[in-house]
Amino acid sequence: MTEKPTLDQWATAAAKEVKGKDLNWETPEGITVKPLYTAEDVTVDPGLPGFAPFTRGVKASMYAGRPWTIRQYAGFSTAEESNAFYRRNLAAGQKGLSVAFDLATHRGYDSDHPRVLGDVGKAGVAIDSVEDMKILFDGIPLDQMSVSMTMNGAVIPILAFFIVAGEEQGVERKLLDGTIQNDILKEFMVRNTYIYPPEPSMRIISDIFGYTSREMPKFNSISISGYHMQEAGATQVQELAFTIADGIEYVKYGVASGLDIDKFAGRLSFFFAIGMNFFMEIAKLRAARVLWHRAMTKLGARDERSKMLRTHCQTSGVSLTEQDPYNNVMRTTIEAMAAMLGGTQSLHTNALDEAIALPTDFSARIARNTQIVIQEETGMCNVVDPLGGSYYVESLTQQLVDAAQEIIDRVGAEGGMAKAVGAGWPKAMIETAAAARQARVDRGEDVIVGVNKYRLANEDLLETLEVDNSKVREAQIARINRVKAERDEAQCQAALESLRQAAAGQQSIENNLLAHAVEAARARATLGEISSAMEDSFNRYGTVPTPVKGVYSKPYGHDSRWKQVLDGVQAVERRLGRKPKLLIAKMGQDGHDRGANVIASAFGDMGFDIVSGPLFQTPEETVVLALESGVDVVGASSLAAGHKTLIPELIKQLREKGRNDIKVIAGGVIPPQDYDFLRDAGVQGIYGPGSNVVECAADVLRLLGHNMPPAGLEEAA
């Protein structure tokens, strides 16, 4: 009989094969992953699916009984166009709707507001009134369809419109099924589509908890979202910890407002990103269920349903690449499998072209069919939690539980997530991770196929979807005017005044903001009017970014190209008598600031004087700031397709001020097809997704008149 080999024998054999190379892997989360796992690494029994703490899934039968819901997060242009897109997708096998709203809607502005010229209909569907919401769901029975709505800032008017649209379709609100994101703490950390300050924003959330628990028993009143944290650069441990900590905070606010924890906690759901670290993502979803069960038990929940973490997942947007974009099909497939093996309840798969534009029908079909193939062709759904018992997965799950719990405990010790967000340290932690990740990518330490390795010499342009922003805005304004002309103005103003008084008063059932907003929506008040009525009491919130320092530069100590750029910055400084000054501008209503913050941090580490402009500026405000700050370059960061409207207007106004000398560069999600348009408008440098930040800086130095050598060449003495 052959004697069983020992671990020491395995280690000796492995070391011989790799000539002593260390096979351990240190993840960005600080977790050491070994090359081999055995039964000795499994210290916690994961239990069985459907039973506490739900490590192996919230249902005993999981996908063997019913697969996850296939969703497609979509919305663009007008309600009519989005409705047609939804109906095509439903006919092709999609099972639930996930609605993307445009940025004007997110930020509580009607489409006719002067601050949203470049935003209407561009990154989602424009919704200004109940009439838009009725068109959005025309022919889609709301008593049979689960609807997920990604909305946080303007959550009160959007949910009110949904309720009234359902009623006018003949569906009682108690029958409405779906989820509203309603997760504002995450907005203050990463996505920034907030409207009001934190305290009244938390009141809004608990008012929605109260209303839906009484009136909408099938509706999920919040989707606590880690997705945007990972998209902003968070590690999986950070995403996991801050998402659970957010959930704890929301439950505490609900209880403090007088709600019984078991009356509303069972309708809370979660939303996680699924990136390319395959096993880490699987373990993250398993760890999330353990952590939520633990947290809810401590908070006093008695019903096991209150302790059950149910989650929607979406494949990563930030993992998609502009370069060699058909690789994105494989990335999305791998991420979809991780979500499935982790036990998600619903899933959206991103399309291959979403690194640069909204998905076309062609790309959306491939994304949707990715899920259908997994469900229908692979046999993966026939076994409940097929990776349960894997030495590696079980060990990794427990390591994530322990690492995330440390952060959750810190949040609790410092007074909860609202206070932590106010103090700013979660945001700073995420931005530090984002800067470190960008440095690893730029140095080739984190491989991205087709971007920093195996790059194509020539790339074909990808056909992308483009929305005619001006046409959409004109149509929306016409409908707003029609709604206002046809409504009972006295009734509408009375409803808005009642909402205004409720916002000014103490939180109570009588002053429930959603209940008053439903009456205003019935009276055909617009989204902007409802938002403004609450803003009269709550005010509008704003922040200025603070870039992290020293993180991007850390791994570049002996890098020759890095030194060339530092020398170039110093040469320009000697010539100007001061450091070259760069304004990072975020114009329009897009709050996604990862790219802007990474550039600010990296360029600051390279010696540039950085001015980080406030979010949500108009071109006029950016010009004023540029002139007051005495900058040499304005870097416009664009992620929401407003670049063809906002950046040319910025250049035009700089020229009108006689400041042609100020260089304008652009970066972010900009389709290559638009590069010539922007260059013709006067943009002097364009840096799309996947651009090496050190080389971007070298290019900016050339724009400032420094004779920067090409990459790979030493600078002449």
Side-chain angles (χ1 to χ4, degrees):
M1 185 174 181
T2 304
E3 186 176 335
K4 182 179 178 181
T6 66
L7 281 175
D8 285 343
Q9 288 173 317
W10 170 84
T12 300
K16 185 182 294 184
E17 290 170 2
V18 298
K19 297 181 174 58
K21 178 184 175 184
D22 183 7
L23 295 177
N24 289 324
W25 171 41
E26 185 79 11
T27 75
E29 291 79 12
I31 292 173
T32 299
V33 174
K34 303 185 299 181
L36 179 69
Y37 285 79
T38 68
E40 295 178 6
D41 295 297
V42 181
T43 58
V44 177
D45 182 357
L48 291 171
F51 292 89
F54 307 108
T55 313
R56 301 191 65 188
V58 296
K59 299 289 185 183
S61 60
M62 285 304 288
Y63 307 139
R66 176 187 171 188
W68 67 91
T69 301
I70 297 173
R71 294 191 184 275
Q72 205 73 5
Y73 178 56
F76 59 93
S77 184
T78 61
E80 290 90 343
E81 290 203 38
S82 292
N83 172 262
F85 185 79
Y86 295 158
R87 291 168 73 167
R88 290 196 299 272
N89 286 0
L90 291 170
Q94 185 177 313
K95 300 300 183 184
L97 293 178
S98 290
V99 182
F101 298 96
D102 75 353
L103 291 165
T105 304
H106 272 289
R107 293 270 294 145
Y109 294 117
D110 286 335
S111 296
D112 59 359
H113 197 283
R115 296 195 74 87
V116 299
L117 287 172
D119 297 300
V120 178
K122 292 294 280 187
V125 60
I127 298 293
D128 293 308
S129 72
V130 168
E131 296 305 318
D132 288 329
M133 192 69 82
K134 288 171 67 177
I135 294 167
L136 189 67
F137 296 114
D138 182 43
I140 300 172
L142 292 178
D143 56 345
Q144 300 172 36
M145 181 60 57
S146 170
V147 177
S148 173
M149 294 179 285
T150 299
M151 178 53 64
N152 302 285
V155 64
I156 288 285
I158 285 295
L159 190 48
F161 292 165
F162 180 68
I163 291 166
V164 175
E167 289 176 355
E168 296 187 7
Q169 198 186 83
V171 180
E172 296 179 72
R173 55 181 174 268
K174 68 180 181 182
L175 299 177
L176 293 172
D177 186 7
T179 303
I180 189 85
Q181 192 163 99
N182 194 26
D183 176 2
I184 203 66
L185 287 175
K186 164 264 299 178
E187 298 295 332
F188 292 116
M189 272 193 286
V190 290
R191 189 163 173 259
N192 300 311
T193 52
Y194 44 68
I195 299 175
Y196 314 110
E199 188 173 339
S201 296
M202 293 299 288
R203 175 188 166 180
I204 286 171
I205 287 170
S206 52
D207 272 9
I208 290 172
F209 285 175
Y211 184 95
T212 54
S213 65
R214 292 187 294 270
E215 306 284 342
M216 303 168 72
K218 295 178 66 178
F219 198 77
N220 296 313
S221 52
I222 193 168
S223 175
I224 303 152
S225 175
Y227 182 87
H228 302 95
M229 298 180 200
Q230 188 179 139
E231 293 292 278
T235 66
Q236 276 92 336
V237 166
Q238 291 167 356
E239 177 194 5
L240 175 58
F242 291 137
T243 304
I244 297 298
D246 279 352
I248 292 169
E249 191 83 345
Y250 294 136
V251 170
K252 286 181 176 179
Y253 267 79
V255 171
S257 71
L259 296 173
D260 181 331
I261 189 171
D262 287 313
K263 295 292 185 186
F264 72 91
R267 301 310 306 173
L268 309 185
S269 67
F270 287 77
F271 175 28
F272 286 102
I274 303 295
M276 284 298 288
N277 192 341
F278 185 73
F279 289 103
M280 187 73 76
E281 294 293 5
I282 294 166
K284 181 184 75 183
L285 297 185
R286 303 169 100 252
R289 292 191 287 271
V290 173
L291 289 163
W292 187 242
H293 186 273
R294 180 187 295 175
M296 292 301 288
T297 301
K298 288 181 180 179
L299 288 169
R302 298 169 300 281
D303 188 341
E304 284 299 296
R305 181 173 172 78
S306 300
K307 306 175 188 179
M308 187 186 293
L309 182 144
R310 297 163 299 111
T311 190
H312 169 70
C313 290
Q314 181 175 338
T315 60
S316 172
V318 79
S319 72
L320 303 177
T321 65
E322 174 189 340
Q323 298 81 7
D324 207 358
Y326 291 104
N327 289 337
N328 294 332
V329 177
M330 287 84 84
R331 293 186 178 101
T332 294
T333 303
I334 291 164
E335 292 166 353
M337 288 174 60
M340 173 265 167
L341 291 166
T344 189
Q345 276 61 66
S346 73
L347 177 63
H348 164 77
T349 33
N350 286 329
L352 66 95
D353 47 3
E354 288 189 71
I356 53 174
L358 292 168
T360 62
D361 279 6
F362 170 78
S363 65
R365 179 173 176 271
I366 294 171
R368 181 178 58 254
N369 284 353
T370 299
Q371 296 192 55
I372 296 173
V373 168
I374 292 173
Q375 285 189 358
E376 304 282 353
E377 294 189 25
T378 65
M380 289 189 203
C381 297
N382 297 332
V383 176
V384 180
D385 187 28
L387 290 185
S390 156
Y391 301 144
Y392 177 35
V393 170
E394 298 299 353
S395 175
L396 194 54
T397 298
Q398 191 56 43
Q399 288 184 83
L400 282 171
V401 168
D402 294 342
Q405 189 66 59
E406 287 185 19
I407 297 175
I408 294 167
D409 289 344
R410 178 185 172 186
V411 171
E414 296 186 17
M417 201 60 192
K419 288 189 177 178
V421 167
W425 65 266
K427 184 176 180 69
M429 187 181 285
I430 291 170
E431 289 180 6
T432 296
R437 159 71 172 168
Q438 185 64 48
R440 292 195 306 273
V441 170
D442 287 346
R443 287 177 55 79
E445 294 163 4
D446 286 6
V447 172
I448 302 177
V449 174
V451 175
N452 61 5
K453 198 172 184 181
Y454 312 112
R455 183 83 181 250
L456 289 173
N458 297 293
E459 303 209 21
D460 295 330
L461 288 179
L462 196 65
E463 183 180 340
T464 57
L465 177 69
E466 183 171 3
V467 173
D468 186 337
N469 166 246
S470 59
K471 183 178 177 182
V472 175
R473 189 166 183 268
E474 287 170 7
Q476 288 301 120
I477 291 173
R479 186 144 57 223
I480 290 171
N481 292 337
R482 191 159 58 247
V483 166
K484 288 183 176 180
E486 293 174 356
R487 71 190 182 187
D488 183 326
E489 192 63 26
Q491 182 185 8
C492 180
Q493 293 305 321
L496 286 170
E497 182 58 29
S498 293
L499 174 60
R500 193 174 288 109
Q501 293 301 321
Q506 293 294 314
Q507 187 172 21
S508 65
I509 291 178
E510 293 73 27
N511 282 338
N512 185 281
L513 296 170
L514 180 54
H516 284 276
V518 167
E519 295 305 316
R522 283 200 192 102
R524 288 332 190 241
T526 68
L527 175 131
E529 289 172 324
I530 292 172
S531 297
S532 181
M534 293 187 289
E535 188 179 337
D536 288 344
S537 293
F538 297 159
N539 298 316
R540 186 169 279 265
Y541 185 74
T543 59
V544 177
T546 305
V548 297
K549 297 179 180 178
V551 177
Y552 188 89
S553 61
K554 193 173 182 181
Y556 277 96
H558 302 289
D559 186 276
S560 60
R561 185 57 168 172
W562 175 262
K563 186 177 184 304
Q564 285 179 351
V565 171
L566 295 187
D567 290 346
V569 173
Q570 290 168 6
V572 173
E573 181 178 356
R574 288 192 295 272
R575 177 163 54 82
L576 296 177
R578 56 170 174 78
K579 292 182 176 182
K581 186 174 281 193
L582 168 66
L583 166 60
I584 306 293
K586 284 290 294 179
M587 296 181 291
Q589 298 306 305
D590 171 41
H592 292 87
D593 59 355
R594 172 182 179 156
N597 291 337
V598 165
I599 292 297
S601 297
F603 273 60
D605 285 357
M606 287 182 254
F608 284 81
D609 188 358
I610 301 297
V611 179
S612 286
L615 298 173
F616 316 122
Q617 284 199 308
T618 63
E620 294 88 344
E621 290 165 341
T622 301
V623 167
V624 170
L625 181 59
L627 298 182
E628 289 178 348
S629 304
V631 301
D632 305 294
V633 183
V634 176
S637 174
S638 176
L639 275 85
H643 53 272
K644 291 177 74 172
T645 305
L646 299 169
I647 298 176
E649 182 62 24
L650 168 70
I651 294 169
K652 174 175 169 284
Q653 294 197 29
L654 282 171
R655 287 173 175 167
E656 288 174 354
K657 298 290 185 181
R659 294 305 306 271
N660 289 20
D661 58 305
I662 297 178
K663 317 293 183 185
V664 175
I665 60 176
V669 180
I670 302 173
Q673 293 92 319
D674 293 348
Y675 284 14
D676 286 344
F677 174 89
L678 292 176
R679 290 187 182 110
D680 290 344
V683 176
Q684 297 189 46
I686 305 172
Y687 314 105
S691 297
N692 183 293
V693 175
V694 177
E695 292 307 321
C696 293
D699 195 53
V700 171
L701 289 173
R702 283 190 284 270
L703 292 177
L704 294 175
H706 180 67
N707 187 23
M708 194 72 199
L713 297 179
E714 295 297 327
E715 188 168 15

